[in-house]
Amino acid sequence: MLVRIATLALLGLPVFAQTYFPAGALPAEVAQNYSHFLQAMHEPSLFELATQHPDAVAYRLLLLRDDDRPVAIRFAPRPGGTAWFYRRVTGGTGLTRPTRLRDSGMSFSWKSRTASFLKTIDNVGFWTLPDTPAAPGVPCRSHWILEGVKLGRYKVIDRCSPDDRDPVRVIGTQAMHLASLRLHGSKLY
């Protein structure tokens, strides 16, 4: 058994597969594609977190741009009102397979910043937002995939090139700022 696990690890195959999205939350091909990016970024499954730890709270933005590096920002609160923002960036683009991890880091969020982020999530009504996918034929240069876990609930929203007023973009840009990810305005579309 140990030899088999070592062989799978050497081949670059996941030893323990994770289910990133519940069945039916996204089209199967889309869920599989997004899962490849999250695996390449060494990101945990928030869906599994929700099912295994009903008291967990976490949010993650996966930003896949057609002609720039994929990005993931994960918010993980801590006891006492502080939090960590985890940042991951791979090579490749949102249209290609991800390559190796190019950047990773984490930023500490003190109580006031953590409260501000959670207030933004509440103010935009994340848990009541529609999960509507992009309409066919609408040009899509980027996908903003926002996941949330709270009190055993899991939600995923996939937006196609959201404008500045879209709640997913509002939450995502705040998460990028708090995670110390600096993207030039022309890199956000």
Side-chain angles (χ1 to χ4, degrees), residues 71 73 85-89 103-110 113 172-183:
V71 172
I73 304 292
F85 281 90
Y86 295 89
R87 175 185 72 250
R88 307 271 191 266
V89 180
D103 176 42
S104 66
M106 48 198 240
S107 297
F108 181 74
S109 179
W110 54 87
R113 289 180 125 192
T173 53
Q174 185 179 13
M176 285 185 255
H177 172 73
L178 294 172
S180 299
L181 179 68
R182 306 290 182 243
L183 294 179

Side-chain angles (χ1 to χ4, degrees), residues 90-174:
T90 66
T93 71
L95 289 177
T96 63
R97 288 280 197 205
T99 61
R100 67 181 175 85
L101 197 59
R102 306 280 294 212
D103 176 42
S104 66
M106 48 198 240
S107 297
F108 181 74
S109 179
W110 54 87
K111 290 180 182 181
S112 61
R113 289 180 125 192
T114 300
S116 173
F117 182 72
L118 292 171
K119 184 175 181 183
T120 297
I121 289 168
D122 287 342
N123 286 348
V124 301
F126 171 78
W127 290 99
T128 59
L129 289 174
D131 313 349
T132 1
V138 174
C140 188
R141 294 190 53 224
S142 66
H143 283 272
W144 295 57
I145 302 95
L146 185 61
E147 297 174 86
V149 170
K150 184 178 178 182
L151 303 174
R153 292 175 61 196
Y154 172 85
K155 182 173 183 77
V156 60
I157 302 172
D158 183 1
R159 289 285 194 266
C160 176
S161 303
D163 65 33
D164 291 340
R165 296 176 314 275
D166 188 290
V168 170
R169 187 171 177 136
V170 170
I171 294 169
T173 53
Q174 185 179 13

Side-chain angles (χ1 to χ4, degrees), residues 13-98:
L13 299 174
V15 177
F16 301 104
Q18 295 185 64
T19 302
Y20 283 95
F21 305 102
L26 298 167
E29 185 178 306
V30 170
Q32 183 179 17
N33 185 43
Y34 294 170
S35 296
H36 286 298
F37 284 97
L38 292 170
Q39 288 169 346
M41 294 176 179
H42 308 287
E43 278 291 306
S45 167
L46 295 188
F47 170 61
E48 289 181 0
L49 177 68
T51 59
Q52 295 169 4
H53 301 281
D55 58 338
V57 174
Y59 294 91
R60 176 172 48 219
L61 170 71
L62 176 61
L63 176 59
L64 301 176
R65 299 164 291 165
D66 284 1
D67 56 1
D68 217 326
R69 293 181 178 161
V71 172
I73 304 292
R74 181 171 32 95
F75 168 81
R78 299 168 29 110
T82 61
W84 286 104
F85 281 90
Y86 295 89
R87 175 185 72 250
R88 307 271 191 266
V89 180
T90 66
T93 71
L95 289 177
T96 63
R97 288 280 197 205

